[in-house]
Every structure is written in structure tokens, then in C-alpha cells.
Amino acid sequence: MSKNVLVLADVRDGELRNVSLESLAAATRVADGGAVTAAVFGSKAKDVVEELSHHGADKVVLVLDEKLDQYTTDAYFQAFKQVIEHVEPDVIFTGHTAIGRDVSPRVAARLGCGLVSDCTDVEVDDSQIVFTRPIYAGKAFVKKAFREGTVFATLRPNNIPALEADTSRSAVVEELEVQFAEDLLRTVVKDVVRKASEGVDLSEARVIVSGGRGVKSADGFKPLQELADVLGGAVGASRGACDAEYCDYALQIGQTGKVVTPDLYIACGISGAIQHLAGMSNSKVIVAINKDPEANIFSVADYGIVGDLFEVVPMLTEEFKKV
Ligand code: FAD
């Protein structure tokens, strides 16, 4: 049965995040001939219309209000709710990003809808939409289907491939004016202070080279950064490395850090504690470099290298430079 599906596009600094394109692919899977609508917020929303239509959006709803230029819970909540009431979708996708994780449950609760968070897959089975999500810190997966009503789903990045761009597609574009209850806009973003050298976004990186306490110092991360640069990837870390002040907590991967699903995860000097595995064990290919052959990280690795990371990592970098 055809479904109306809405995707909230996640735009940062005028750039569409990959997970929005992945959400469109998920939306196309479940729409079954129904309309796929993308909603984009902020005064520069028009800039991403083409990309959205090339990747599966049949319609794009623009809310061009300046109040939505920076994410705030209150403004997004009000705008998203009004877009949903306007589009009347059966299924709503957002990325499982800081924005999607914050706004989706709020609107779902207010509208009395169901929500499946952190989905890694979605399929239609016997005309039911079935969402897959990890449980027990990624040790198992559960499949969920809803008998009735509108459903929200937040999608974990890097799990559902985006559709190939089809430049012949063009979406119907609609500008929607939303009404804000000013007394409920309780926060204003005055300034955004970014960290220097942000490079590839960890949560969307296709390749992650991650360091643990085994890197021994902040300088010990340099060879990892070189390997990541050669592979076009990002550097991550275990909490052990963050606690030891070798790197910033923004790099932490795991249960209390970021959850990542890159195509390739290279763990260097990381023992493989359960809390670390919770953040990376669903990576497509895992390579572990550790001098202890008994290290638990080898239990989840597709390829294991027993050796000193300070010898192995530069060798890998040199080899990849030749490719
Ligand atoms: P270690 O366990 O000390 O391992 C270092 C490894 O490096 C060892 O295996 C060693 O053999 C190897 N090594 C040393 N030198 C070299 C070398 N030269 N070459 C190659 N290998 C070498 N941890 C996370 O990572 N993420 C989380 O989100 C997280 N959340 C937590 C939440 C809670 C509530 C708790 C209690 C813990 C959490 N932890 C988390 C911490 C976790 O339990 C581990 O303590 C941490 O992951 C260990 O980090 P590590 O593997 O870098 O260090």
C-alpha cells in the first residue's frame, strides 16, 4: 500500500548531510508509489533543493524562516510539527543525529505517534514497514512493525545507501510559512564557536582510524591522522585515550561517545572493551592493530595485525599512498 513519507533534511553550514540522502533512499523504499517529501529549514534552504530532488524527493517543502538558521529545539519543534500537519505523512524519517534525536521524539510525543530510534535498516514485508534497530549495545537487532498510525524513525548514518543521483529528476517545490509562538521560543543562538581543523565528520566518515591508550601521547595520534588523511577518513578514539588527554572527547567512540558505522574502522592500540565495541562493532570492515594477541578487539575484527602500531600504521600509510 502506498505511503506518504516525509524526510527532515539535516543541513549544516549550507551542506546537506549524507544521512539526509540516506533517509530519502529509505523513504523511497517504503513509499511504494506514494509521495516522498523533503522538508528543509532556514533562509538558505533553497540551496539544497536540487540535490534532494536528484536523490529521490518528489516534493520539497521549504520553511525559509531565519529563526531556523541555527538549530534550537523550540523553533524546530514548532516548525517540524506544522510541516507534519501540512504534509500528513504516514512515515517520517530524520537522521539519528543531534537534531533528529532531539526533535523527533518531542514532536512524536506531542502528536501521539510511534517512534523507532537509531534504525539501521527498513524494509517492506507483506505490506508492513519493518524497522531494524540494534539493542543491547549492538549485540543484537530487533525488528519493529506498527499496525497503525504515523511513525517516526531516526536513521543511523552510513547504513542505508543513498540512491544514485538522477539529474533528470526535479521536485515540486513549496514554500510554507509557519507561525511561531514567540513566548515558546526560549533559546537564541548568539554565536557558534567551532573547533579548529574539524576535517571529515566522524559520524559520517567512510573510514575511521581510531586510537586508544596504546598511542601513548597526543603526538602518538599523528601517524593515525596521516593514515586517515591518505584514506580520506577521520580520526576517532577510545575513552581511554580521551581520559588520558591524548585527544578531545569529541573523538570518543563508544557507548558514551559516538556510534559509528564506517565502511572501514582501523582500531590502533585499543583493547576492545565492551563500551568501545558498542560504538563501532557494526562497522562494515574492522581492522585491529594491537601488540597483545589476546586483546578483545580481535574478537570483532575482520583482519587482525598483532604488532606495534608505531611500526604498522606508517607502513600502511606508505602502502596506501601507492594506490
Ligand atoms: P586500554 O584498555 O588500556 O587498551 C590499550 C591497548 O593498547 C591494549 O590492548 C594494549 O595491548 C594496546 N597497546 C599498547 N601499546 C601498543 C602499541 N605500541 N601497539 C599496539 N597496541 C598497543 N570506552 C570507550 O572507548 N568508549 C566509550 O564510550 C566508553 N564508555 C564507557 C562508559 C562506562 C560507563 C564505563 C564504565 C566505561 C566506558 N568506557 C568507554 C571505557 C572502557 O571500559 C575502557 O576503559 C576503554 O575503552 C579502554 O580504552 P583503551 O582500549 O584505549 O585502553
Side-chain angles (χ1 to χ4, degrees):
M1 206 168 53
S2 69
K3 303 272 184 209
N4 268 341
V5 191
L6 176 67
V7 169
L8 176 62
D10 196 327
V11 182
R12 307 273 168 98
D13 300 328
E15 297 234 336
L16 205 51
R17 303 194 84 185
N18 281 341
V19 72
S20 302
L21 304 183
E22 294 162 9
S23 300
L24 283 174
T28 307
R29 270 190 206 176
V30 303
D32 196 15
V36 173
T37 303
V40 200
F41 294 171
S43 53
K44 294 196 178 135
K46 282 182 184 157
D47 296 354
V48 297
V49 167
E50 214 171 65
E51 204 178 349
L52 290 167
S53 38
H54 292 171
H55 285 88
D58 301 312
K59 185 173 173 187
V60 180
V61 175
L62 302 171
V63 185
L64 298 167
D65 202 297
E66 282 177 4
K67 292 188 186 75
L68 300 163
D69 283 353
Q70 296 289 346
Y71 180 78
T72 64
T73 302
D74 294 334
Y76 259 62
F77 168 79
Q78 293 190 36
F80 195 22
K81 182 168 165 287
Q82 287 172 60
V83 169
I84 291 167
E85 286 162 349
H86 176 71
V87 176
E88 298 184 336
D90 303 297
V91 186
I92 300 151
F93 286 103
T94 64
H96 193 67
T97 57
I99 292 178
R101 286 152 72 161
D102 190 47
V103 77
S104 287
R106 282 172 199 274
V107 182
R110 182 59 64 89
L111 297 175
C113 301
L115 178 136
V116 194
S117 72
D118 202 12
C119 293
T120 51
D121 202 7
V122 59
E123 63 206 334
V124 178
D125 186 8
D126 199 15
S127 77
Q128 265 199 325
I129 302 175
V130 182
F131 302 90
T132 305
R133 71 178 301 268
I135 52 169
Y136 303 125
K139 279 186 177 294
F141 289 87
V142 66
K143 287 179 183 280
K144 294 193 173 206
F146 288 77
R147 271 191 216 100
E148 57 190 34
T150 302
V151 181
F152 284 69
T154 66
L155 208 66
R156 185 184 281 200
N158 279 348
N159 278 271
I160 294 181
L163 301 172
E164 288 281 321
D166 176 354
T167 51
S168 67
R169 296 186 91 256
S170 64
V172 175
V173 179
E174 181 188 0
E175 288 182 24
L176 184 72
E177 215 170 292
V178 299
Q179 306 302 321
F180 290 100
E182 296 285 340
D183 55 328
L184 295 178
L185 296 177
R186 288 160 294 192
T187 44
V188 176
V189 178
K190 296 236 171 190
D191 195 9
V192 178
V193 182
R194 294 189 194 288
K195 282 189 189 295
S197 75
E198 273 184 299
V200 181
D201 182 343
L202 198 52
S203 54
E204 297 212 322
R206 294 273 168 206
V207 176
I208 295 177
V209 183
S210 205
R213 226 181 323 241
V215 300
K216 303 215 168 51
S217 66
D219 276 351
F221 266 93
K222 283 185 185 154
L224 276 58
Q225 183 68 60
E226 283 165 24
L227 178 57
D229 289 345
V230 168
L231 295 172
V235 168
S238 72
R239 177 153 145 193
C242 301
D243 284 346
E245 298 184 0
Y246 302 161
C247 61
D248 195 278
Y249 279 103
L251 302 190
Q252 184 184 319
I253 288 166
Q255 189 180 319
T256 45
K258 293 195 169 72
V259 175
V260 295
T261 328
D263 294 338
L264 174 62
Y265 188 89
I266 307 179
C268 311
I270 294 177
S271 59
I274 182 77
Q275 296 91 351
H276 187 76
L277 302 189
M280 47 62 74
S281 59
N282 292 318
S283 304
K284 294 188 185 76
V285 175
I286 299 171
V287 177
I289 305 166
N290 197 303
K291 62 182 187 186
D292 174 8
E294 303 296 322
N296 191 47
I297 192 77
F298 290 125
S299 68
V300 295
D302 298 286
Y303 300 94
I305 304 173
V306 178
D308 186 334
L309 72 93
F310 294 106
E311 290 171 19
V312 177
V313 172
M315 279 199 292
L316 290 177
T317 307
E318 286 314 308
E319 286 305 312
F320 282 120
K321 272 185 190 164
K322 293 179 196 164
V323 181

